[in-house]
Amino acid sequence: RASTVHWRFADVSGRQVVLEIINGQPRFYENKLGVLTNSPGFGWRLTNRNNYINLFSGGVAPTP
C-alpha cells in the first residue's frame, strides 16, 4: 500500500488548507496548526492530537 500524499496550500494571509486524495476522493482540511504529516491521513492526525491536548508535564495533586 502506498502512503497517503498530502498537499498544503497557503495564501498570503497565512491561511492554510491540506488536500489529500483517499480512495479517489479529494478531502480538504483547514490547517490551523500549520503542519504537514505523512501517512496516516491528516484527519487521523487531527483526531489523535485531541488525545494529548490537555496533557502537561509535572505531577498532579492527589484527589481526596
Side-chain angles (χ1 to χ4, degrees):
R1 177 178 163 187
S3 64
T4 305
V5 176
H6 302 85
W7 290 271
R8 181 174 63 173
F9 301 94
D11 65 15
V12 295
S13 73
R15 182 174 179 227
Q16 298 180 22
V17 294
V18 169
L19 165 64
E20 59 184 21
I21 309 295
I22 299 180
N23 297 324
Q25 299 295 317
R27 301 229 175 125
F28 288 91
Y29 300 93
E30 183 83 27
N31 189 0
K32 295 180 181 180
L33 301 174
V35 299
L36 191 61
T37 65
N38 293 322
S39 197
F42 193 78
W44 182 92
R45 298 286 183 182
L46 293 176
T47 299
N48 187 55
R49 175 185 165 267
N50 291 333
N51 293 327
Y52 303 96
I53 198 90
N54 292 316
L55 293 181
F56 60 92
S57 63
V60 176
T63 304

